[in-house]
Each structure stands twice: as C-alpha cells, then as structure tokens.
Amino acid sequence: MILTLGFVSAVQTILIGVFAGYYLSDSLFDEIGQRALMVSKTVAAAPSVIEGVRQRDIEGLNRLASRLTRTNEALFIVIGDHQGMRLAHPSADRIGHSMADDDGDQGRRALVEGKAYVARAAGSLGESMRGKAPVIEPETGEIIGIVSVGYGVDQVDATIKRYSFVLYTVVGLTLLVSILIAMVIASRFKRAIFGLEPEEIARLFQERDATLQSVREGIIAVNRDGVITTFNRTALETLGIDPDTPLSGRPILDVLPESDLLSVLESGTPDFDREVWLRNRQMIVNRLPVRQGAEITGVVASFRLKDEVDQVSRQLTRIQQYADTLRSQTHEYSNKLHTIAGLIQIEAYDDALNLIGSEVSDHQALIHLLLEAVPDPVIAGCLMGKYNRAREMGLGLQIDAESRMVDIPADMPRDQLVSVLGNLIDNALEATRHQTGEGGRVQLSMTDLGHELIFEVEDQGPGIPEDSQQKIFEKGVTTKQGAEEHGYGLHLVRQFLNRWGGSIMVENLPGVGSRFTLYLPKTSQGSDRH
C-alpha cells in the first residue's frame, strides 16, 4: 500500500510539476511578447518618434531609442523607415542596413499591412521576443516607418529558472508529504485490520464463511443501522425462508418484524437462551452486541428451534432413565442373587425357592398388567424401569390394576410422553423418600376413556404449598433443597402440555402427599389450557 500510494502520488506530482513548468514557460514567453508589443506600439505612436522618422533624424532617434530601452528594460529598440532601413539601433554599424537581416520578410507585415505583431527570432543581438509596430503618419495614415522592441530570451529563461526552482521545490515537498501521508494511512489501515495482509484477510473470510455454513444453528448479524450483513444457510432453513432469498443489505425488520435485535443494539446488553417466536416458530435465541472499542457496531444472533432443544433434553432424560433402570436392576438382582446363593449354601432350599417364586410372581404380575393395560412398548418399558427404580430406593410403585392406556393417538410423540410421565414419577419418588424414607408408596393410575388420556400420580411427600403449585412449572424453580441442577423436569412437562394443548392439576391429599393429574387430549389442540 505504501509503494502503491507513493507511486501514484509521485506520478501525479511529477505530471502536475511538468504541466505547471510548461504552462509557466509558455505564459512567461507570452507575457514578454505582449509586453514587447505594447512597448513597440507606444514608441511607434510617440510624436517625437513620428517626427524623427519623418525628418530621418538618426542622431535624435538613437538617443531616444537608447533612453527608452533603459526605461523599459528592453534588450533593444530598433527604429526603421518605410523601407525597413534602420534609423536607430544599439550598434552603430547596423544603422542604414535593412531590418530583414534579423527576421526576414516578417517585417513586411508591419510596413505593408500596417499590423503590429509578436515574433521570436534570432537577430544581431541574439534570440529575443520581439514586438513590431508600424509608425503611421497621423494626418495621412501613411506608414512611414517601423519600431521593433525586443526582450532577450535569456531574460525569460532566467525568470523561468527562478520560478521553476520555487515550483519544483514545492513539487518535491508535496511528493515527500504524499509519501508520508501514504505511510500514515497504511499504518492506520493496518492497525484497523489487526495487522493482517490482504491474503490473510481473504483466507479468514473464506474460513469465516465455511464456519458459518457448518454451524447447525441459524446465525444472522446486523450492522449499527439494523441492516443484515451476515447470515448462514441454516438461518434460512430454520426460519422457513427460501434458500435462494438474498438477505444481505435488507433491514432486519423487513425480514423479521418481530425481532428484538434493535433493542440489543440500543442497550448493548447480551441476551442468552431467550425463548421467542419468529415467523410462527418458537426459537431459543442468543444475541450478542459487537463492539469496536466503546462503540456498538452491530449485533449477532444465533438461534435454534426450541423443539430441537427440547428433543435433546428429552433424549438426555431417557438416557438417564435407562441408566437408572439398568443400575437399579443390577444392584437389586445382585443382592437377591447373593441372598439366594446364601440360602442354598445353608441348605435352606425352601426359602430360596420361595424367594425366587416371590420375585418371579411380582414381575410376572407387573408384566401381565403392562401387557394388558399398556401395549405400547415404549411406555411399558418406562414404567418397568420406574418400578425397578422404586424398589432400589426402598419404595414401591403401585400401578392401579384398573388402569388402561391403549387408545394413544398415533401422532402423539412417544418420547415426549415418556419424558413427561417419567418426570412426574421421579418427582413423586423423591418426595416420598424424603418424607417417609423406605417403605413409602407412589401410586399411578391411567385411563384412556373419553376424549382424553388421564394420568394420576400420587406421592406420600410433604405436599406443595398452594402459592407454589404453579411456580414449580417455571424453569429453574424447585422445592428440593440444595439441588441447583433441578427445576427443569416440570418445566419440560409444561412445555409439552403447551404444544399438545393439555393441562395438569396439582392438589394436596388429606394428611400427607400430593396428586398430579395430567390431562392430554387425544387430538392436539395447540393451546395452553392450564
């Protein structure tokens, strides 16, 4: 950049200097020529000159010419008669000779045509700029002579050199200043781009574009005017916009009228994990202002469909449930196998058989109930896992023998239903163990009669204060002490109910415990009924 700007400045300055020098030279020669012409006309019109030419007063004309030469700082003033013969000349030996020796036939223009003119010629006194004017008899208008006034070219060259020195000094200083300015601009520009070279900037731009397109979250960035500057393909897909739609250069409010990016632009406050609706889709949005020093120059927003976040949460919940189930079954059966082995070793065969029969009987009864009442394998598997989890905790999970859950809508997402039901049962088990210790019971009843699926979960916990019965569904709110990681299960329950149009009722039981009753319409309503 320094070389480029310096070269451009040098070329411009040199061209300007050459043009200025040429223009100065041409102007000075023109100015000297016009001065010579003006003096020649003035001398030719002087009465003393007219009279001297008329009388051929050579001596008087020479004195007059000599005085006028000094007065006008001219190189010479020559006066001739109507035939072009010199009557006055700085060199006495030239008097009486034709003026054609100096400038050929050009003098005829003044003597024949009566026209004054300027010429550049080399004469007996050297090269000069000459102004020639005819001497005219005032009374008759007859041309009786000619006056030639000359200024030496050396005088003009000396003047040009004097002005040229100043001109080219200024040109040189201008060139130096231009180079210094180029260096300052390049230095400031390089600091502004963090010391990167153009090739590095191009590579970083390509990397940035590849990074944007590889991110699975939608990304949109706006400048300080709220105009979109950056976006990725995922943003278009997430928002349901045609992938070929150009967004760059468009105001964000034209594309997303409900966007709050401009408020972040004004406040400069980051916004994380906020749930918003964009183009009739619920999103989880993060917004971060872009700062350059103390100035906010834009905002970057990343967003993802909330369903995807919930799906991840549900999958993590299911994985946790499966892990808990396997762990509880491993622990429980390990203990019972050890017990059976001990009974066999002490030859208590009847007790060993009774224990095996009791275990088989309990599981067979549960399996038979689930096969009859809950043919859906995903829900049945969840209830079997919770049954084993309860036994590991020293509790009991009792499923009402009259329960029935057969008519489950085909479009109801099973993973979400299992997540909701699992969260309710887990909360009931935790509350019961906290209140009663081992030996407590959690009861579950289900029915699909009518137009709704109804689940009731009763625990033997401490109950829930009435003023907290709705707050517990808010994100991060929990009644468990010292459990910062809790407060999300019931929030997921509420989110599922909002989407499906279901409702949940919380009530405290007489004495101790609470009951959660979940209502899910067999047809999605898409409204909040709780």
Side-chain angles (χ1 to χ4, degrees), residues 118-137:
V118 177
R120 179 174 178 174
S124 59
L125 297 177
E127 188 175 7
S128 61
M129 293 295 297
R130 303 175 180 188
K132 292 181 181 290
V135 179
I136 300 175
E137 178 67 50

Side-chain angles (χ1 to χ4, degrees), residues 68-93:
L68 291 175
T69 299
R70 292 191 301 272
T71 302
N72 292 279
E73 298 180 350
L75 178 63
F76 62 82
I77 293 179
V78 177
I79 302 173
D81 61 12
H82 67 285
Q83 293 181 344
M85 296 298 177
R86 300 185 183 97
L87 299 176
H89 192 278
S91 299
D93 59 342

Side-chain angles (χ1 to χ4, degrees), residues 324-334 363 384-385 388-389 392:
D324 291 343
T325 299
L326 293 174
R327 180 169 53 84
S328 62
Q329 287 181 342
T330 300
H331 182 71
E332 180 181 1
Y333 284 107
S334 177
H363 276 80
M384 178 65 75
N388 292 324
R389 171 76 186 281
E392 182 193 25

Side-chain angles (χ1 to χ4, degrees), residues 268-420:
T269 303
D271 197 2
F272 298 106
D273 296 329
R274 185 174 178 184
E275 299 179 12
V276 299
W277 285 88
L278 297 174
R279 297 177 67 89
N280 297 322
R281 301 184 178 194
Q282 194 171 15
M283 310 278 184
I284 301 296
V285 179
N286 296 294
R287 305 184 183 97
L288 189 67
V290 180
R291 299 179 184 273
Q292 187 171 3
E295 182 182 4
I296 298 176
T297 58
V299 179
V300 177
S302 64
F303 49 90
R304 178 188 292 269
L305 287 173
K306 188 174 183 300
D307 290 344
E308 297 180 7
V309 179
D310 289 346
Q311 183 177 4
V312 172
S313 299
R314 289 191 296 269
Q315 290 175 346
L316 291 175
T317 300
R318 290 182 61 185
I319 292 172
Q320 182 64 41
Q321 291 172 350
Y322 295 152
D324 291 343
T325 299
L326 293 174
R327 180 169 53 84
S328 62
Q329 287 181 342
T330 300
H331 182 71
E332 180 181 1
Y333 284 107
S334 177
N335 290 335
K336 290 185 177 180
L337 287 175
H338 290 158
T339 302
I340 293 172
L343 291 173
I344 293 176
Q345 288 177 353
I346 62 175
E347 298 183 355
Y349 303 118
D350 292 337
D351 293 333
L353 290 174
N354 290 335
L355 180 58
I356 295 172
S358 173
E359 184 64 28
V360 172
S361 175
D362 290 344
H363 276 80
Q364 287 296 327
L366 177 61
I367 292 173
H368 179 74
L369 172 62
L370 293 178
L371 288 176
E372 291 291 333
V374 189
D376 189 289
V378 177
I379 299 176
C382 173
L383 295 178
M384 178 65 75
K386 297 304 177 185
Y387 175 83
N388 292 324
R389 171 76 186 281
R391 295 191 62 176
E392 182 193 25
M393 296 171 65
L395 306 174
L397 175 61
Q398 295 181 346
I399 301 177
D400 189 349
E402 301 297 326
S403 294
R404 176 181 174 83
M405 191 55 59
V406 176
D407 189 17
I408 302 176
D411 60 341
M412 180 176 288
R414 297 301 192 271
D415 57 341
Q416 297 183 28
L417 179 58
V418 165
S419 176
V420 168

Side-chain angles (χ1 to χ4, degrees), residues 205-220 229-237 243 248:
F205 178 82
Q206 293 173 342
E207 291 177 358
R208 187 210 67 161
D209 189 62
T211 302
L212 282 176
Q213 300 306 328
S214 66
V215 174
R216 298 191 62 183
E217 286 195 349
I219 295 177
I220 289 181
T229 57
T230 303
F231 64 94
N232 63 355
R233 191 175 185 87
T234 306
L236 299 176
E237 295 173 353
S248 293

